């Protein structure tokens, strides 16, 4: 047995350490396809912050990398193991520590699932907005590390907007506390928001204080069907321009709708090329007026049908369909999920470009996404056993990012860089910003032990 | 003439350089009292990014510090000159470069005043929420560098929540572009929010892309009078607990109201110990219901009178009174303005503690602030020509921060650290966080040339 494993055994209780090779296998990958993953020497199932510190200290002494993991639901390979690493899994640190209704925050361990936390605070009349489609099987720690978005961002913003403070184990094993429990605070640099989205490369999050809101009113839901994806895109631009306040504005194309119908045995309409789903949680007359305004604009911009959900259950069903879209597409074949965010005024152009790429490259691309934010997930579906299809899939995947950048967008709106888009980061942010990334990484992790090779290639580090 | 000035003259057009000693004097201080300020060798009135780069490069070559300045309206001495420095003033970079109604952002130079920008976007039906009381005489660049708050934070958050991207001149003179023009984006570390609030110690902001919202409905305004400050604090806690959505919730005590009446020749009621001002911009029936709910809660928790503003003009007058509060108190004597933010549940405790400190130390403290955020500005008023009073003022000022920390709060909710609270930073954030601050500062500014001595004492750098 390796020296490192020997030392971990001495430092940790038996239930906090996995060395069995078969069990270790299940900690190698997140949900990203086509990303390389190495072989860990051990998995630490931390039960408390001290276990994380022990693992990081032992790794630092041995010069061995540490890869932090949440629920492994990520889509960019950020949680994939590297050879010889210690995986530090936070899945067993899954307790909600405090909910404060007046100060409106929750203190939580990172292993809590998003849906579990959301439901726990809802019981006290509170609302934690960030809601990735994977909310039933993604953890808060992973949400923080990738700065997750979700369906309600169009009104409520993303994860980083709700993070008041963090407890973080640094590369040398020390515990950093960032932020505060107050609504506002400007004492020093915003280390909290620097750690959020850094994908475990600057420290390992072991606790978070998250801001909450009062619960929202029951949403009203409507759907609109369009003959073309571009018409849907134009309607979205007009909806945004109108200033109407929606809590959700999603799009699914025919490929996606059909996949969902098959997978969930649903009966969504497939006669149209694209469906918009809109919600307003303004409540009462305001909510009704919002939804009516959206229907009016959709009709003006070519909707062939607008349907208002009769009751909340019907609205929830539409959302379930949207949330299941990615998994449904995965049942059609192998998938490569893009995550391009463009300025909203360019959404119709982007949809047209994606359709053009699919036709030109001759590959299936399901178009779905958070239309109200301009954050789209064109998903390339193909047969991975056919090398020629696999090649074309990669071409389409890359072209979609290219066109996103050309339209003034970003290569990732919410899924992160991981290893999947590492080579694209430099292209988006340029050499000066990359240098600054490397300088900050070197300042906080001089030996490059924390999740090495994720987010950026480390060059001379 | 010094070598540095000689080189600046060669590199810059005449209108971009001030070397006249009398003119230089007016660039030594911001609005903070009692903070040391040194003598600059020159002031660069940058007209474009290249001027900032030239100044920083010349400073770097000569090993001379650079102090960036906006409108010098800061309250912590962050913009104060240090001996031998080049002041880089951004006040002449005062153009709004683009307003995009659909994508809802504005691209601006840093020297634009907050009110100018707010009015320009309002003309296009858009809304830039951050609204410091000083909005008529503070610049966007300063707002960014201190992560300013304001009156509408209770609903709309603070400056950092609206920053999509920045152009920043680094310590080596290179230009860094951070962020994006899209609503969402997670490509790499959040350098944008690291720079925001860093008070010019990591780089000099030369351009910003700021998110906008659709314009809000006209606010409805009400005021409530209380017999004691503590009763007002208890009412605030209940208002927050109720979940009612207010766009403003401010408090002023009798000392402050009297000062405003004198300064602005107004006729605000002075029979009560404290006045709350609340606004809802929900519009229509929802706004009316919000204000009615607040009035009901205020009465339940001991308000002696609740007055609803008859029209928007009356509401605006109340806000003007609140915005003038600090300047009004400055007319009573010398002031030391605290900026403590406590968890909202502890607001009544905090007000009681401040009243206790004022009585015990025997000094006037005007209590005012952003009650809905728990962000209070207890302002010590004294006669600076009386050394014994000045000593007591300092004692009160420090004790107010101490009690803020004891209640789980922060020493600065929105004014920043500067030099005023530098020695308090370590006490709030602790040694590990201070080490991380120093490591980041050293990574981005290894020679410690950018605004040295601000935010933190630099120890071994």
């Amino acid at each position: 047995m390796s020296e490192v494993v020997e030392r971990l055994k001495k430092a940790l209780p038996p239930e906090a350490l996995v060395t069995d090779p078969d069990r270790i296998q299940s900690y190698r990958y997140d949900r990203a396809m086509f990303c390389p993953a190495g072989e860990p020497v051990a998995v630490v199932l931390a039960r408390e912050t001290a276990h994380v510190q022990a693992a990081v200290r032992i790794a630092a002494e041995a010069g061995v990398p540490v890869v932090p993991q949440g629920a492994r639901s990520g889509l960019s390979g950020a949680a994939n193991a590297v050879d010889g690493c210690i995986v530090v899994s936070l899945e067993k640190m899954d307790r909600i520590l405090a909910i404060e209704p007046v100060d409106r925050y929750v203190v939580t361990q990172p292993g809590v699932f998003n849906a579990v936390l959301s439901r726990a605070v809802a019981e006290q009349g509170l609302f934690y907005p960030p809601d990735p489609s994977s909310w039933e099987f993604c953890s808060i720690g992973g949400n923080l590390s990738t700065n997750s978005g979700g369906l309600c961002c169009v009104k409520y913003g993303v994860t980083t907007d709700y993070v008041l403070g963090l407890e973080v184990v640094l590369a040398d094993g020390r515990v950093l506390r960032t932020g505060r429990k107050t609504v506002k605070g400007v004492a020093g640099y915003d280390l909290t928001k620097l750690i959020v989205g850094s994908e475990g490369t600057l420290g390992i999050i072991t606790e978070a204080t998250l801001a909450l809101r009062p619960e929202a009113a029951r949403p009203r839901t409507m759907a609109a069907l369009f003959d073309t994806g571009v018409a849907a895109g134009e309607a979205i631009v007009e909806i945004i321009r109108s200033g109407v306040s929606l809590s959700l504005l999603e799009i699914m194309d025919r490929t996606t709708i059909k996949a969902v119908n098959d997978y969930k045995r649903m009966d969504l309409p497939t006669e149209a090329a694209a469906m918009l789903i809109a919600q307003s949680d303004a409540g009462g007359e305001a909510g009704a007026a919002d939804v009516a305004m959206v229907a009016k604009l959709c009709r003006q911009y070519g909707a062939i049908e607008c349907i208002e959900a009769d009751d909340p259950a019907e609205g929830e069903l539409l959302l379930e369909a949207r949330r299941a879209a990615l998994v449904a597409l995965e049942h059609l074949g192998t998938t490569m999920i893009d995550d391009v965010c463009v300025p909203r005024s360019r959404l119709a152009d982007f949809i047209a470009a994606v359709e053009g790429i699919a036709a030109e490259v001759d590959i299936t691309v399901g178009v779905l996404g958070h239309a109200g934010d301009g954050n789209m997930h064109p998903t390339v579906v193909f047969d991975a056993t056919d090398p020629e299809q696999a090649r074309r899939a990669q071409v389409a995947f890359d072209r979609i990012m290219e066109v996103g950048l050309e339209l003034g967008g970003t290569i990732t709106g919410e899924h992160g860089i991981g290893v999947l888009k590492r080579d694209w980061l430099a292209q988006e942010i340029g050499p000066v910003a990359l240098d600054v990334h490397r300088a900050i990484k070197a300042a906080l992790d001089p030996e490059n032990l924390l999740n090495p090779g994720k987010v950026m290639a480390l060059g001379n580090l």
Side-chain angles (χ1 to χ4, degrees), chain A:
Chain A
M1 195 182 336
S2 87
E3 165 94 19
V4 167
V5 173
E6 204 58 62
R7 299 182 66 177
L8 288 169
K9 281 198 172 168
K10 277 188 196 135
L12 297 168
E15 70 274 16
L17 187 62
V18 177
T19 54
D20 173 65
D22 286 345
R23 278 186 72 199
I24 283 181
Q25 287 305 305
S26 62
Y27 291 91
R28 288 184 60 212
Y29 284 97
D30 66 17
R31 248 172 107 211
M33 305 290 162
F34 315 108
C35 290
E39 288 284 346
V41 295
V43 175
V44 173
L45 294 176
R47 257 68 178 181
E48 53 189 80
T49 301
H51 296 167
V52 178
Q53 292 182 274
V56 169
R57 285 197 172 121
I58 288 166
E61 281 163 20
V64 158
V66 176
V67 174
Q69 276 183 359
R72 296 185 305 284
S73 59
L75 293 164
S76 306
N80 280 10
V82 299
D83 275 333
C85 77
I86 301 171
V87 164
V88 174
S89 168
L90 285 310
E91 67 188 11
K92 301 294 185 192
M93 289 181 68
D94 60 355
R95 283 182 304 127
I96 294 172
L97 302 174
I99 299 173
E100 299 291 344
V102 173
D103 295 319
R104 285 200 205 124
Y105 64 77
V106 53
V107 184
T108 185
Q109 291 187 326
V112 177
F113 277 16
N114 180 298
V116 170
L117 184 119
S118 295
R119 290 187 187 119
V121 304
E123 274 177 26
Q124 304 206 22
L126 297 162
F127 174 31
Y128 177 66
D131 62 342
S133 294
S134 56
W135 73 318
E136 295 280 8
F137 56 91
C138 65
S139 71
I140 290 293
N143 293 176
L144 293 164
S145 294
T146 56
N147 188 18
S148 296
L151 274 61
C152 72
C153 306
V154 64
K155 180 165 180 179
Y156 293 108
V158 296
T159 298
T160 196
D161 300 320
Y162 293 87
V163 191
L164 295 175
L166 297 171
E167 182 188 85
V168 180
V169 174
L170 297 173
D172 60 7
R174 288 188 300 172
V175 171
L176 166 70
R177 285 202 157 265
T178 75
R180 54 204 155 76
K181 297 202 189 305
T182 54
V183 178
K184 292 161 70 180
V186 293
Y189 301 157
D190 196 340
L191 302 181
T192 305
K193 293 189 199 299
L194 177 64
I195 299 290
V196 172
S198 67
E199 302 186 8
T201 62
L202 300 178
I204 302 177
I205 297 168
T206 49
E207 190 186 295
T209 303
L210 305 174
L212 304 171
R213 299 177 59 102
E215 64 185 344
R218 279 210 164 177
R220 291 183 81 119
T221 309
M222 60 90 56
L225 305 178
F226 292 85
D227 263 342
T228 68
V230 172
E234 286 167 353
I236 291 160
V237 171
E238 290 311 309
I239 292 167
I240 302 294
R241 195 197 302 272
S242 77
V244 60
S245 170
L246 296 177
S247 53
L248 180 140
L249 184 56
E250 296 288 316
I251 188 170
M252 293 164 76
D253 74 350
R254 189 188 283 130
T255 304
T256 312
I257 294 171
K258 282 185 175 166
V260 171
N261 277 348
D262 290 348
Y263 172 63
K264 297 273 283 185
R265 298 177 193 286
M266 290 179 89
D267 193 28
L268 299 171
T270 53
E271 65 275 18
M275 175 169 72
L276 287 190
I277 310 173
Q279 283 192 333
S280 166
D281 65 1
E285 288 176 22
D290 290 341
V291 165
M293 163 76 99
V294 171
K296 191 180 139 203
L297 289 167
C298 284
R299 282 198 197 93
Q300 267 177 29
Y301 284 81
I304 49 177
E305 202 182 341
C306 290
I307 318 144
E308 193 172 340
D310 286 329
D311 54 48
E314 204 177 299
E316 188 45 44
L317 209 64
L318 276 169
L319 252 66
E320 265 178 45
R322 167 60 191 88
R323 287 202 193 99
L326 218 52
V327 179
L329 285 167
E330 284 170 359
H331 277 71
L332 294 189
T334 301
T335 55
M336 294 182 80
I337 305 137
D338 244 320
D339 175 40
V340 169
C341 192
V342 295
R344 295 179 287 202
S345 62
R346 309 308 300 274
L347 204 54
D349 300 330
F350 180 70
I351 292 171
V354 170
E355 288 174 356
I357 291 166
E360 196 187 322
V361 180
D362 185 24
I363 200 97
T364 302
V365 181
V367 172
L368 69 154
H370 314 300
D373 302 312
N375 186 190
M376 301 295 285
H377 299 310
T379 301
V380 186
V381 186
F382 63 104
D383 177 358
T385 63
D386 175 346
E388 171 52 22
Q389 262 202 44
R391 187 195 62 76
R392 294 206 308 275
Q394 183 70 53
V395 168
F397 184 76
D398 287 352
R399 283 223 195 142
I400 289 168
M401 283 191 281
E402 255 166 35
V403 82
L405 290 178
E406 281 163 23
L407 293 172
T410 170
I411 55 167
T412 177
E414 57 181 12
H415 293 172
I417 298 291
V419 286
L420 183 69
K421 297 184 174 177
R422 202 178 59 184
D423 298 334
W424 283 86
L425 182 71
Q427 194 166 331
E428 175 167 337
I429 70 176
V432 177
L434 194 62
D435 275 1
V436 172
H437 275 70
R438 287 178 173 156
I440 289 171
K441 171 70 171 167
L444 294 191
D445 180 19
E447 305 300 327
N448 189 26
L449 294 172
L450 293 177
N451 217 6
K454 312 300 172 64
V455 181
M456 60 198 128
L458 281 167
N460 55 358
L461 276 186

